[in-house]
Amino acid sequence: MHLFSENLAVEIATYYRNVALGHSVVPKVFTLVNGSGSQYLFFIDDLQMERADEDQFLAYIVQEHDAVSYSRGTLVIVEKNQQYIEFAVVDEDDSEAIVCSAELTRDMDDKPIGLSEFEKILVKRESIVFGHLYDPVKLSEEKIEDFESLWEEMKPKILHRTMGV
């Protein structure tokens, strides 16, 4: 597993802890890191796309930015009183991925008040719904132009920084 993937798992766990407990939100997040350590993070809901288009766009971004690892996270609601923040980190060169899960506790007003430690397990990459983003994607020229335009439009909202190794 690439060092960026391990670092990304720790970082995303901290990110979710901060936004859930500090800001009372649990966004659907996508982030990737390329070989030079540039990281891009954005909210998936900002895409406002159907799931199939969303997957194509994310695959396009992963490939266009030469990602060595990427992560996608979300809130999973089993029942009103049983909620989890879950994310997976997928590495380009590894058949296994890191999956992390932590239980979220809310108060009577539905405000997040507690988050357990993230438990980390390794799973086969193909078992993850979005574990296929490294697979080559065939897009029409029109779709590529749309995705390039969307990326440019999103740039002001995207967290971009260089990860330390």
Side-chain angles (χ1 to χ4, degrees):
M1 183 138 305
H2 200 283
L3 181 58
F4 286 145
S5 298
E6 294 285 341
N7 288 345
L8 197 56
V10 170
E11 184 176 282
I12 297 301
T14 302
Y15 175 81
Y16 267 123
R17 184 168 304 284
N18 289 339
V19 297
L21 300 178
H23 300 285
S24 299
V25 294
V26 184
K28 293 179 186 172
V29 171
F30 185 82
T31 187
L32 67 87
V33 179
N34 65 23
S36 63
S38 283
Q39 179 187 13
Y40 302 90
L41 182 141
F42 57 91
F43 300 141
I44 293 172
D45 289 335
D46 287 352
L47 298 177
Q48 299 177 347
M49 295 178 164
E50 295 295 322
R51 179 64 192 254
D53 287 336
E54 182 181 286
D55 286 348
Q56 284 186 334
F57 176 73
L58 296 176
Y60 168 79
I61 294 302
V62 162
Q63 293 168 31
E64 189 68 19
H65 289 279
D66 299 318
V68 294
S69 60
Y70 64 84
S71 178
R72 183 175 178 159
T74 193
L75 177 67
V76 176
I77 301 172
V78 179
E79 293 182 20
K80 183 166 175 49
N81 63 345
Q82 192 177 12
Q83 300 181 12
Y84 298 87
I85 296 175
E86 294 186 348
F87 65 89
V89 179
V90 179
D91 189 297
E92 180 181 30
D93 297 325
D94 201 322
S95 62
E96 293 187 314
I98 302 169
V99 174
C100 299
S101 180
E103 188 167 8
L104 183 66
T105 307
R106 295 182 182 267
D107 65 12
M108 298 303 252
D109 296 323
D110 209 31
K111 181 181 175 187
I113 58 169
L115 187 62
S116 68
E117 290 300 315
F118 278 91
E119 293 183 25
K120 178 173 86 169
I121 61 169
L122 291 177
V123 301
K124 291 291 182 195
R125 179 162 91 184
E126 66 264 8
S127 70
I128 298 173
V129 173
F130 55 87
H132 63 279
L133 298 182
Y134 288 113
D135 296 348
V137 61
K138 293 186 190 272
L139 301 172
S140 68
E141 285 298 319
E142 181 181 340
K143 190 72 110 171
I144 291 171
E145 288 175 13
D146 289 347
F147 287 168
E148 287 173 350
S149 176
L150 176 59
W151 183 254
E152 289 301 315
E153 184 181 313
M154 290 174 58
K155 274 187 177 178
K157 298 178 187 176
I158 296 172
L159 169 70
H160 176 230
R161 68 179 192 91
T162 302
M163 289 184 78
V165 279

